[in-house]
Amino acid sequence: MIWISWRQFRAQALVGVIALALLAAYLVATGLEIRDSHDAYLARCHGSGDCADAMSRFLDDYRTRLLFLAALLALVPALLGMFWGAPLVAREFESGTHRLVWNQSVTRTRWLAVKLLFVGLAAMAVSGLASAALTWAASPFDEVAGDRFGTVVFGARNITPIAYAAAALALGAVVGQLVRRTVVAMAVTMLAFVILQFAVPNLVRPHLMAPGHTALPMTAEAFNQAQGLGSLGNAPVVRGLSIPDSWITETSELLTSDGRPLDAEVFDDCLMRAPKTGATGRYGDTAPCLAAHDLHVDIAYQPNDRYWAFQWIETAIYAGLSGLLAGFALWRIRRQVS
């Protein structure tokens, strides 16, 4: 069975090895470049005494490239599920070869189990090696940035991509078994896994551990450090705040000193008709206008020292999901009408 699985899988495996080799070569070159740049900026800041500005420039140099690479690697498990998992069973049904296979001495359960294990381990290896290469390349940047929980970054570093690949492969196999059409199974697998990868970081990950809570005073400086003010409905909200060494999972509306939400008209007046004070900063006169109302926000956050706990918990969730999907596939194939 292993030999047959290899014969059927060798073309996809070759493509995977070539793509992984090219990606690894690029990441090694990028990692060396980042290290050289990091050392150069450190030397510059030690000479000038302004390390904050030097490190900010260092982050600006590589933020876009590393974000793009993280997004690319976040797609790797989905692509593995699409191109390796979905055809695993669907191709047999579509070509009718399952009738021949299921009439041999090897049981259909063992046939599928070996294919899932063989291709699944290969998918986990590809995803894990790609993640390890990116984690190494980006480590100086990550150490300076401190943004370990970013939606895209978290899913492209360390161990979680290995579990993502296992879940995507198992999902593809189940979809192919149910749909029985290779192209349709590939499309459904990609769509389903992308939805899953959107839902988990936004709906599940923030609640994996009980968050800490704090109140952040909204001074003019704090407003100018935010990434955005207001919303589509012009609600009195502030977006993109940060606190050191933490991941903010929830931010309340702007609150007055007695804990009540800021009146929307007051917020709008400061946005559109702030008194002219000549204030500088991202929001100009708006920041001191809002700060004059003695505002704060209530924040829920996860400290960065919980990063590995989150990595292991999410890995366990996806590993459990892949086990459930594989178990369902094995259960169903015993009852599949040929």
Side-chain angles (χ1 to χ4, degrees), residues 45-259:
C45 85
H46 289 156
S48 65
D50 189 2
C51 285
D53 181 67
M55 289 300 99
S56 177
R57 291 175 181 273
F58 167 69
L59 294 178
D60 289 341
D61 285 349
Y62 293 100
R63 180 177 286 108
T64 301
R65 188 195 308 188
L66 289 176
L67 187 61
F68 174 79
L69 286 170
L72 177 65
L73 263 69
L75 283 175
V76 168
L79 292 172
L80 292 172
M82 179 181 180
F83 288 103
W84 290 8
L88 201 64
V89 181
R91 180 177 52 199
E92 305 284 356
F93 282 122
E94 198 168 36
S95 62
T97 54
H98 67 290
R99 297 186 182 91
L100 174 63
V101 174
W102 292 356
N103 282 287
Q104 305 302 311
S105 58
V106 176
T107 65
R108 61 179 71 181
T109 303
R110 182 185 171 192
W111 169 79
L112 180 57
V114 171
K115 289 172 75 72
L116 284 173
L117 183 62
F118 186 84
V119 181
L121 289 175
M124 292 165 66
V126 168
S127 189
L129 290 171
S131 171
L134 179 60
T135 301
W136 173 83
S139 57
F141 179 93
D142 292 341
E143 184 177 350
V144 175
D147 183 21
R148 310 192 78 189
F149 283 100
T151 300
V152 178
V153 173
F154 184 91
R157 305 283 203 274
N158 294 303
I159 59 174
T160 51
I162 301 173
Y164 296 164
L169 194 287
L171 175 65
V174 168
V175 171
Q177 193 176 4
L178 296 174
V179 174
R180 299 194 180 197
R181 292 291 181 270
T182 303
V183 175
V184 176
M186 292 169 68
V188 172
T189 298
M190 172 60 82
L191 177 61
F193 196 74
V194 167
I195 291 174
L196 179 66
Q197 289 294 76
F198 175 81
V200 170
N202 293 285
L203 302 178
V204 178
R205 188 182 298 158
H207 308 291
L208 293 179
M209 298 181 71
H213 295 272
T214 189
L216 180 66
M218 293 306 298
T219 62
E221 181 182 2
F223 276 112
N224 282 321
Q225 291 175 351
Q227 299 300 313
L229 295 177
S231 64
L232 292 178
N234 206 31
V237 297
V238 57
R239 305 186 309 277
L241 293 172
S242 63
I243 54 178
D245 300 320
S246 297
W247 168 40
I248 294 179
T249 59
E250 187 176 354
T251 304
S252 71
E253 292 186 357
L254 289 166
L255 304 174
T256 59
S257 57
D258 57 2

Side-chain angles (χ1 to χ4, degrees), residues 2-33:
I2 294 178
W3 183 83
I4 294 175
S5 297
W6 164 247
R7 292 278 296 180
Q8 291 181 319
F9 180 64
R10 60 186 176 178
Q12 297 99 309
L14 180 60
V15 172
V17 169
I18 293 173
L20 181 61
L22 293 174
L23 178 62
Y26 178 77
L27 288 174
V28 167
T30 299
L32 294 175
E33 179 188 335

Side-chain angles (χ1 to χ4, degrees), residues 12 60 86 103 137 167 266 275 282 290 311:
Q12 297 99 309
D60 289 341
N103 282 287
V266 174
R282 176 175 292 178
L290 289 170
Q311 279 271 321

